[in-house]
Amino acid sequence: MPDDLGARIAARAISHIGAPFRLHGRSMGGGFDCIGLAADALSHVGFAGDIPAEYALRGQFERQLCAFFASSAFAIASSPNAGDFVAVRTAPRQLHLMIATDTGFVHAHAGLRRVVLTPPPLPWPIFGRWRLIGETHGNACSDSRR
């Protein structure tokens, strides 16, 4: 991914810090959830893929998320750079998507009811890390618990 693309994704995410949390939210005025925040950042850089929309706050979302990152223009990122997407396991049946920046991870925090920046280290195990690169790659998920 060109450095400026990652920087643009990260900057877009940072610009939404303080926005309200809303499940399935997709706008600054209406609020964001973690998937909506990622969709907005991707749309901002011209990504036209369909990010998953049918999910619950808690539940089995791994297959949908893995399929999205495997069939889209992403590669597995060995360590997060600005603009990378990081999924963490916040509970046994709950994934949460974040966007890496140079100073931490931007995400829509349901408990705090707003978009926040969390500095490293993350308090949750990482499920997967992906970088937008413009080419399709294979299986994009790994879970440290497997």
Side-chain angles (χ1 to χ4, degrees), residues 23-96:
L23 184 60
H24 298 155
R26 298 288 188 271
S27 69
M28 185 67 164
F32 292 102
D33 65 5
C34 64
I35 303 299
L37 185 66
D40 178 84
L42 287 167
S43 175
H44 179 70
V45 297
F47 180 80
D50 291 326
I51 196 159
E54 299 295 322
Y55 56 89
L57 189 58
R58 290 178 178 80
Q60 298 298 326
F61 185 59
E62 291 94 344
R63 287 186 184 150
Q64 288 173 280
L65 194 63
C66 290
F68 171 74
F69 284 114
S71 65
S72 299
F74 297 89
I76 297 169
S78 58
S79 62
N81 291 333
D84 287 354
F85 298 88
V86 178
V88 296
R89 189 174 295 283
T90 57
R93 294 184 60 228
Q94 185 172 354
L95 291 181
H96 183 55

Side-chain angles (χ1 to χ4, degrees), residues 1-12 45 81-84 99-101 131-132:
M1 167 172 65
D3 290 339
D4 63 334
L5 186 58
R8 287 174 47 214
I9 290 169
R12 181 67 172 194
V45 297
N81 291 333
D84 287 354
I99 299 172
T101 72
R131 182 169 299 143
L132 180 63

